[in-house]
Amino acid sequence: MRDFSADHSALALNTASLGHNLDGYGAGWPPERVIDACAARGFGSIVFWRREIGTRAAKIGERVRAAGLSVAGLCRTPFLVGGEATDRQAVMDGAKASVDMAAALGAPVLTIVVGGVHPGTKGTAASLKILADRVAELAPYAQACGVRLALEPLHPVYAGNRSCLTTLRDAVDLCEKVGAPNLGIAVDVYHVWWDSDLETQLRRAGPGRLFGYHLCDWLADTTDVLLDRGMMGDGVADLKAIRAAVEGAGYAGPCEVEIFSAGNWWKRDPNEVLDVIVERFRTLC
Amino acid sequence: MRDFSADHSALALNTASLGHNLDGYGAGWPPERVIDACAARGFGSIVFWRREIGTRAAKIGERVRAAGLSVAGLCRTPFLVGGEATDRQAVMDGAKASVDMAAALGAPVLTIVVGGVHPGTKGTAASLKILADRVAELAPYAQACGVRLALEPLHPVYAGNRSCLTTLRDAVDLCEKVGAPNLGIAVDVYHVWWDSDLETQLRRAGPGRLFGYHLCDWLADTTDVLLDRGMMGDGVADLKAIRAAVEGAGYAGPCEVEIFSAGNWWKRDPNEVLDVIVERFRTLC
């Protein structure tokens, strides 16, 4: 297991930790300011959201690298299945446009949050089939662009309307079904911390399928399952044990801090948030 | 698979569907009125909550049977682990008192909602060990009282503060670890509908461990994970498929409708709620 106490170059900032994933939240720093603040604190990389990038993907990517950092990834494709994804052509066009943006940014990984139960179906099985069909079309396109696709299983609380893909087990199944070399998985402690099957499924995935590891914490008395994630150490997830399992399965990539926190961290000065992230990462993760 | 379209004697009312599980909600019907309303509609059985029973357990049980119904179960033990369960002796005393109440009521099954992550620990593994120790003490006591104990795995959204037991898989593991003949599982569609491992784990459990089957629905755009459950048919759970799996594993007992719905069903006339339950059960479950 890597020792981050003296070297936190594996630390990546997901800009959602500053509220940059949603309109109306956060301090609204432009990407350049985020880049400089991360570089000053020894972060190794940054993950942006599409809404921050707009038409400046290449320029922002260059700016990151000029600051001595790398772009670890881009969040995320539009939903591929579910109520917002009924027009297949529009879905594929939107997904391919997000691949293009990742390529222009120089992001090696594009995250996929898949979408919920498809209209007219019940349960998750039918939706997962539709998803597999669409991912199978997207993967070769992304491969040609030099982009890897990371399926992110979300916590089962989102199964209805955000992610019919809820467990690492289902994500590995989907990877095996589609069989594309650039298709893998992002593991987020918020979504998987409760899962006693995690270590087994991480080993099933292996280093060839593990494309990302996301950090935050699950607050025991969470008030909002979308926007009340905890800072590492403030919740009940066993962060050390999860990272041991992730690294035991062969993962050696960035550790991306992604904290949706409308009522707490998004209200603070981003400088404070970044300082706390570094401290917690070095001591508790 | 049983056909309920012409015979709904397998239908059980959990009185939480009328808001009777929480202070300040529901129509406040006394148990006698609930019993008569269920008898008039052909329900086969009723599941009560402790707060409705008080010191009248034997009398209410007799009243149920006199109306031609049976008591299917009692909800529930106090939490056995987690922040409200730090005093082991108090926890065991409270749990045993709820066993006594179930026995006096003539309830064959007492449900256990286990409680969340235990103070001073992270993740669920340590809490599940504490839980196993306490269940192992409770089971022989319940056996001597003629009461079966049904562990109810709750949706992973509750893992922090209500149930460190989140999957059927973990529940079967716990049953095997404790090994008591009167220890089994209650399967609730609200908690398990998203789980692609369900059928496999139901078969692992088998008829000897399946002590209850609970019905409601998961609303795709749920507004409250505690008190916004859906009426069967209004959500995205594949109710027919789940019952097929439950019965395929050998379950042939009551189907207990348990709908926590502060904003909708608890505001309606209980007569309407009961009528809708019967109709949905006969046609959609």
Side-chain angles (χ1 to χ4, degrees), chain A residues 79-90:
Chain A
F79 290 159
L80 300 184
V81 67
E84 296 175 22
T86 53
D87 180 337
R88 189 184 195 286
Q89 190 60 50

Side-chain angles (χ1 to χ4, degrees), chain A residues 122-123 161 169-170 196 221 235-236, chain B residues 122-123 161 170 196 221 235-236:
Chain A
K122 297 278 189 180
N161 58 3
R169 178 174 179 272
D170 286 354
S196 64
D221 295 309
V236 291
Chain B
K122 299 278 189 179
N161 57 3
D170 287 352
S196 63
D221 296 307
V236 292

Side-chain angles (χ1 to χ4, degrees), chain A residues 250-263:
Chain A
Y251 183 75
C255 300
E256 175 185 336
V257 174
E258 184 184 32
I259 302 171
F260 298 2
S261 174

Side-chain angles (χ1 to χ4, degrees), chain B residues 222-234:
Chain B
T222 184
T223 57
D224 181 332
V225 293
L226 193 60
L227 301 180
D228 186 37
R229 297 190 186 188
M231 178 64 69
M232 298 84 76
D234 291 345

